Amino acid sequence: MKDGGIVTEISLEAIFDAENLQRAFESFEGKRDSCGADGVMVSDLPEYWNANQVVIKDTIYSGNYSPGIVKQREIVSKIGKHRIISQINTIDRFLLRAVAQVISGRLDSEFSEYSYAYRENKGTLAAAEHAAFCMQEGKRWSAELDIQHFFDCIPHDRLIKKLRRYVKDEKVMNLILSFLHCTIEDDYRISQKTLGIVQGSPLSPVLSNLYLNDLDQYMENKGYSFCRFGDNINTYTTSYEEAWQQLQEVKNYLEEKEELLINEGRTGVFKGINRRLLGFVFEEKSGKVVVKRAKNAEKTVFRGWYTTGIQKIDRNYHLINDGILTRQDYNILFENKERKKYIPVETMDSLYIYSNTIFTSEFFSFANKKGVNIAFFDKFGEKIGSFVPQNCRKNMKTQIKQMQIYQDTKERLAIARKLEIASIANLRANLRYYGRRKESQILTQAVEQMSDYVKKLNEAQDVNGLMLIEAQARQKYYQCFNEILDSQEFVFTKRTRRPPKDSLNSMISFGNTMLYQRIANEINRTSLDIRIGFVHAAGFRPESLNLDIADLFKPILVDRTIFTLINRKMIHAVDFVEVEQEGIFISGEGKTLFIREFERKLYQTILVEGQQKTYDYIIKREIQKIKKYVEQGEKYVPYKYI
């Protein structure tokens, strides 16, 4: 029933009507048994509602109902498309369904007959059939528009005004507003929704149609032949010029009247025949335009990913978050929402992956054949695994000699002592460098203490004693960070790891892990066995030798990267994410900043034996020096920064 164009039947009584609630219960039939943050399973919903409905209704009638947290994540379909999935509490899904049924039932007659999404007796096939009808009438030119991030960008103030045209019951409005302004958890970040509607909410489809209903009326009043399915808008005309004019008019209306932007990459004027629409294609046969379902080429993928880009630095590629990786002819193909990037495998040595990534079935076979090293890191920057090609085979003679050195207590102690002395010498060089620049007495004293630790190393009787002294020196070194850093945002208290408890520690862990892997990749290209170190004990540890070598370069590469990022105010507290009881990790943006500066330092040139060399070269040379020591008995002198 309507009163002056205002629908009056939308009320809490209609929402809690027994028949409406039963329809809401039935909507869950056949759905996968799941739950939200509250832990209530779908299969337990009827029992939960019967036990709690009085309390729930009372809070809704009093205007005090508070929906649960909505957890969001992205998934990838079997054809490689990704979309947002919202994990909503089961009781909230039930209430949203009940509300949506009432609003849809009351507003459906208000919607345009050319709006085909989320409505009974409509759908993709009906939309495609109408498009074919328009083309059959001779309107072969189509203006195609796609709204950019439609659900996520609907302004709340404008949506609420549109809702109030039809919803006069303030109690219903309060309930809808509580869902509209719900709390979102996305990648451990908690926020209140102030823009857009929740993808996956039972209420969102009808709200999206309501928001664009004015656009539909505008196009009808202009006499357009059109069909709209959600954020996909297609108008049909007899000429290119007219289609272009309609495209501009619709675009201007959306931007000026509805505050929505167009996805330019999926917007344009095209001939309708042979175009794809909502999973259908159009062909002309015997003078008639026919609709055919399009065939999709399936991809084998895994689920759970986030959209981002790929960065190339030298012959190393970094995936900061994720995309899809597959083989494409003689290239590796990286795909995400924004673009595709083909990487000639000949230009790739290593691939660093810092989050979940989707791989097709052929990817690892291709990477193995082409000798690409792949390393995987968790959100805290800790290495969680690696892929080493089978062609990185070891020389048995080298492995035997390496193990003989490790088992020879005297010889192992001698080389371990050299490595530890060089490591502390490089810590001392860093302190001396910043001490001169800052004229700091604290740093000057720390330099002297490092010299004392070097003396103690020369007196140590075993490898464990060396490691204890080195740990004491490094602890003293870290305590000097606050003297080097010019920031109130980043203050060093103590070294924490697995997980790091503050932003500074998260950068130290992330940088160290990057350095470990960079060295590991180079070791794996030689006959050396990465499992057999000299300082760090061999055993169940999968990697040791790279840890020994990394200690030489941490102060120069990792720590100086951190000092530069902080002192030049390139990185800030907002570039870190705190996870309750799990520590702090660097965000995707923060990782990008860190990697760029780290790699810049890695390829800085310094004077080495009269020639300009990069630290990348020095690391490779260091590994070759150890290899010659193991295989040929050449004297080994570790790298020291002067």
Side-chain angles (χ1 to χ4, degrees):
M1 185 176 90
K2 296 182 184 179
D3 181 12
I6 303 298
V7 177
T8 59
E9 297 93 333
I10 299 177
S11 64
L12 289 181
E13 289 71 22
I15 291 169
F16 292 128
D17 178 76
E19 184 178 343
N20 187 57
L21 293 180
Q22 183 58 36
R23 287 176 57 210
F25 279 124
E26 291 172 357
S27 71
F28 289 90
E29 293 179 1
K31 297 287 180 69
R32 182 174 63 88
D33 200 14
S34 60
C35 67
D38 61 349
V40 178
M41 302 299 293
V42 168
S43 56
D44 296 330
L45 175 60
E47 181 181 353
Y48 183 87
W49 175 252
N50 288 335
N52 297 282
Q53 62 172 308
V54 174
V55 174
I56 294 171
K57 286 180 180 178
D58 284 347
T59 58
I60 291 174
Y61 273 101
S62 64
N64 295 318
Y65 186 77
S66 179
I69 290 178
V70 178
K71 296 185 176 182
Q72 292 189 331
R73 63 186 178 91
E74 275 187 309
I75 68 164
V76 180
S77 71
K78 64 181 181 179
I79 61 171
K81 290 186 177 181
H82 69 276
R83 60 190 178 95
I84 295 289
I85 290 294
S86 298
Q87 189 178 359
I88 305 171
N89 283 355
T90 302
I91 188 62
D92 290 336
R93 289 171 61 189
F94 173 68
L95 293 172
L96 284 162
R97 174 63 64 185
V99 173
Q101 287 170 178
V102 171
I103 293 179
S104 295
R106 305 306 187 270
L107 297 192
D108 193 71
S109 61
E110 302 287 330
F111 294 155
S112 168
E113 64 176 303
Y114 305 115
S115 170
Y116 290 91
Y118 322 122
R119 300 174 65 190
E120 291 185 13
N121 302 316
K122 295 288 186 178
T124 56
L125 178 58
E129 288 176 341
H130 179 66
F133 172 79
C134 293
M135 286 185 274
Q136 187 66 44
E137 287 189 322
K139 300 173 182 178
R140 301 297 179 94
W141 286 96
S142 173
E144 300 180 9
L145 298 97
D146 180 82
I147 302 174
Q148 184 169 295
H149 307 309
F150 174 46
F151 272 41
D152 293 329
C153 294
I154 293 176
H156 283 186
D157 56 342
R158 301 184 70 85
L159 176 60
I160 292 168
K161 286 181 181 179
K162 294 172 187 282
L163 268 169
R164 288 194 181 279
R165 296 178 195 170
Y166 306 103
V167 181
K168 291 300 179 180
D169 188 328
E170 281 301 314
K171 294 177 181 178
V172 175
M173 277 301 301
N174 287 337
L175 180 60
I176 294 173
L177 290 176
S178 70
F179 286 118
L180 199 61
H181 300 144
C182 64
T183 301
I184 299 292
E185 179 184 320
D186 188 356
D187 198 18
Y188 299 101
R189 296 178 187 270
I190 303 295
S191 61
Q192 185 176 24
K193 202 157 185 65
T194 57
L195 178 69
I197 55 180
V198 174
Q199 296 191 48
S201 165
L203 184 58
S204 293
V206 66
L207 293 183
S208 71
N209 274 336
L210 172 62
Y211 195 80
L212 290 182
N213 190 47
D214 290 343
L215 169 67
D216 295 338
Q217 302 305 323
Y218 168 80
M219 291 190 289
E220 283 195 44
N221 292 337
K222 297 277 286 186
Y224 289 2
S225 295
F226 74 96
C227 62
R228 181 181 64 80
F229 192 94
D231 57 354
N232 298 117
I233 306 160
N234 289 61
T235 72
Y236 294 89
T237 68
T238 57
S239 69
Y240 175 90
E241 291 75 18
E242 188 179 0
W244 179 255
Q245 181 180 347
Q246 290 184 1
L247 185 150
Q248 296 303 316
E249 290 174 349
V250 174
K251 178 182 177 182
N252 291 338
Y253 183 92
L254 286 168
E255 292 177 351
E256 296 171 8
K257 300 291 186 181
E258 306 296 359
E259 299 180 13
L260 296 171
L261 298 178
I262 293 300
N263 182 345
E264 298 290 351
R266 301 182 64 179
T267 295
V269 174
F270 308 93
K271 279 198 170 182
I273 298 294
N274 297 322
R275 288 294 293 174
R276 182 168 176 155
L277 175 67
L278 305 173
F280 296 91
V281 292
F282 305 97
E283 295 180 1
E284 189 169 18
K285 291 186 177 180
S286 303
K288 290 188 176 182
V289 178
V290 296
V291 179
K292 292 178 61 176
R293 188 171 294 277
K295 293 183 179 180
N296 294 318
E298 295 191 3
K299 294 181 179 179
T300 304
V301 298
F302 302 104
R303 294 172 181 254
W305 69 303
Y306 308 85
T307 302
T308 186
I310 186 169
Q311 291 190 25
K312 176 182 183 294
I313 303 176
D314 192 50
R315 295 175 65 88
N316 302 287
Y317 287 78
H318 299 265
L319 294 182
I320 308 303
N321 285 333
D322 307 314
I324 303 174
L325 284 169
T326 186
R327 173 186 177 176
Q328 187 76 28
D329 299 323
Y330 296 100
N331 301 311
I332 288 175
L333 172 61
F334 173 78
E335 293 182 84
N336 65 15
K337 182 180 180 182
E338 305 301 327
R339 60 173 178 159
K340 295 181 179 181
K341 182 176 180 64
Y342 292 91
I343 309 166
V345 74
E346 289 78 10
T347 70
M348 177 184 287
D349 282 343
S350 304
L351 180 60
Y352 298 77
I353 298 174
Y354 300 96
S355 187
N356 300 327
T357 301
I358 301 160
F359 301 95
T360 61
S361 55
E362 289 188 335
F363 174 77
F364 283 108
S365 175
F366 188 55
N368 181 62
K369 182 179 179 181
K370 296 298 182 179
V372 177
N373 287 280
I374 306 169
F376 304 89
F377 305 86
D378 66 13
K379 60 178 174 286
F380 296 112
E382 297 289 343
K383 182 178 175 182
I384 56 176
S386 61
F387 175 83
V388 180
Q390 286 182 327
N391 58 12
C392 293
R393 300 190 184 278
K394 302 305 172 189
N395 184 307
M396 184 60 70
K397 291 182 179 179
T398 302
Q399 287 180 311
I400 292 172
K401 289 182 179 180
Q402 201 174 339
M403 183 56 73
Q404 287 173 341
I405 295 171
Y406 180 81
Q407 291 179 329
D408 186 322
T409 303
K410 184 178 179 180
E411 188 169 4
R412 180 190 173 196
L413 178 60
I415 188 172
R417 194 190 310 276
K418 289 181 180 181
L419 284 163
E420 293 289 54
I421 288 173
S423 296
I424 293 182
N426 290 340
L427 296 178
R428 181 177 59 191
N430 239 14
L431 295 172
R432 184 180 291 123
Y433 171 82
Y434 285 99
R436 287 195 300 263
R437 296 185 65 183
K438 292 180 171 289
E439 299 180 352
S440 167
Q441 188 62 31
I442 293 175
L443 295 180
T444 301
Q445 291 174 356
V447 169
E448 294 174 0
Q449 288 177 294
M450 292 297 138
S451 297
D452 292 337
Y453 284 123
V454 170
K455 292 176 183 178
K456 291 180 180 180
L457 287 174
N458 281 310
E459 298 168 358
Q461 299 298 308
D462 53 38
V463 174
N464 286 337
L466 291 173
M467 294 184 71
L468 178 60
I469 295 166
E470 189 271 345
Q472 293 170 345
R474 200 167 289 275
Q475 182 179 12
K476 179 62 182 177
Y477 169 77
Y478 282 133
Q479 289 171 356
C480 296
F481 270 32
N482 292 333
E483 196 69 16
I484 297 172
L485 297 172
D486 301 321
S487 173
Q488 297 299 315
E489 281 187 296
F490 300 94
V491 178
F492 186 85
T493 53
K494 66 177 182 178
R495 183 74 177 100
T496 57
R497 51 176 73 83
R498 295 190 180 91
K501 297 299 184 182
D502 57 51
S503 303
L504 201 50
N505 273 289
S506 69
M507 281 193 283
I508 295 171
S509 293
F510 182 68
N512 288 347
T513 305
M514 279 191 64
L515 182 60
Y516 295 151
Q517 187 57 39
R518 190 60 173 262
I519 295 171
N521 289 342
E522 297 302 329
I523 292 173
N524 287 330
R525 294 189 178 98
T526 72
S527 54
L528 291 169
D529 193 327
I530 196 171
R531 298 171 298 176
I532 307 171
F534 304 113
V535 178
H536 295 83
F540 294 106
R541 190 196 303 271
E543 298 175 351
S544 291
L545 185 57
N546 59 330
L547 307 185
D548 292 355
I549 299 171
D551 283 345
L552 301 173
F553 296 97
K554 285 178 184 177
I556 309 158
L557 295 173
V558 177
D559 299 341
R560 288 201 177 185
T561 294
I562 294 170
F563 300 154
T564 299
L565 289 173
I566 294 175
N567 288 342
R568 294 184 182 177
K569 303 189 185 312
M570 298 164 66
I571 199 165
H572 303 279
V574 295
D575 294 311
F576 299 83
V577 179
E578 183 173 0
V579 183
E580 186 178 357
Q581 297 180 347
E582 288 191 31
I584 291 178
F585 64 94
I586 312 179
S587 68
E589 295 84 356
K591 286 187 176 77
T592 300
L593 292 168
F594 195 102
I595 290 167
R596 285 176 180 169
E597 185 58 29
F598 177 85
E599 296 283 350
R600 190 185 71 81
K601 289 201 172 351
L602 193 63
Y603 288 100
Q604 272 183 339
T605 59
I606 61 170
L607 196 64
V608 178
E609 297 174 356
Q611 292 184 321
Q612 292 292 326
K613 300 294 183 182
T614 66
Y615 282 111
D616 179 66
Y617 167 84
I618 295 170
I619 288 173
K620 292 174 181 176
R621 189 184 71 162
E622 198 70 18
I623 294 168
Q624 290 301 318
K625 285 159 56 179
I626 293 176
K627 181 173 178 288
K628 289 179 180 179
Y629 160 71
V630 171
E631 293 180 343
Q632 302 170 25
E634 288 190 12
K635 182 180 179 180
Y636 172 61
V637 179
Y639 172 75
K640 289 184 182 180
Y641 176 75
I642 305 301

